[in-house]
Amino acid sequence: MSRRPFIAGNWKMNMDHLQSIALVQKLAWTLKDAKFDGSSVEVAVFPPFTDLRSVQTLIDAERFTLAFGAQDLSPHDAGAYTGDVSGAFLKALDCSYVIVGHSERRQGHGETDEIVAAKVQAAVRHGLVPVICVGETEAELAEHGTSAVPVAQTKAALAGLPAGTPVVVAYEPVWAIGTGKVATPEVAQEVGAAIRAAIAEAMSDEDAAASRILYGGSVKSGNIAGFMRQPDVDGALVGGASLDPTEFAGIARFPDHVGA
Ligand code: PGA
């Protein structure tokens, strides 16, 4: 089973809609100049909601081989939910993906495992592939070890999903996000394998084999190769480094430096 590597850029609350156009253009041109093979590695951007229409229009008009998605969605489809954004609206903008359960939302917005699971269901209802973020804090790492929290969060997020539903899971140790502290490739592999086993348990062996598992947390062009050499790491969810198109293109071009 070969999984197409997935390099995803989570812009967080950066870039207004005008800046988003410049960033996507520069990213696409940089990849093109480098003769990047967009069919062998999938590259996706996750801009703020307010940028999505501009990003969609640009990618569509220029036929860039870039995917895009949103950083969050409502667990509800429509109605009196001030400030929420429905998965239906994201699908109408051609989003392929939506990030669910990022630790910045679990921690800063009180998103529980139940809320995350409801958002995963909402994404799937609207034909969006959820990029489900899991990961332990430094305190949880000390108390429970490496895999326990990410595995429990994965199982909770996948609860009730029928076999055959496409999902992406991103292992993002909270202590590695935006800190410059990076998990070792060996730890990413250990947790990636444990997450894959959790997908098999929650869904099926076929789903486990087909699902892409990403590592996230201070990924840069200089450290991506070590992660991509791991059999259970199929890509990266990149925060800070995705705001620099040259650096992000360098991460997407990991096949150029992963060998050796
Ligand atoms: P970082 O963020 O690459 O800036 O550490 C990763 C993320 O939060 O998805």
Side-chain angles (χ1 to χ4, degrees), residues 10 12 102 104 172 176-178 217-219 237-240:
N10 172 12
K12 309 192 179 181
H102 192 281
E104 286 156 14
E172 298 206 304
I177 294 177
S218 300
V219 171
L237 183 55
V238 184

Side-chain angles (χ1 to χ4, degrees), residues 123-191:
V124 170
R125 261 199 314 280
H126 295 291
L128 301 160
V129 176
V131 178
I132 302 163
C133 299
V134 299
E136 78 290 350
T137 62
E138 209 147 36
E140 287 167 338
L141 178 65
E143 193 180 340
H144 304 289
T146 324
S147 298
V149 170
V151 162
Q153 289 176 340
T154 302
K155 286 187 185 163
L158 299 179
L161 271 197
T165 307
V167 296
V168 175
V169 180
Y171 168 52
E172 298 206 304
V174 178
W175 48 267
I177 294 177
T179 57
K181 281 196 230 169
V182 71
T184 62
E186 291 71 28
V187 165
Q189 165 56 27
E190 182 188 330
V191 179

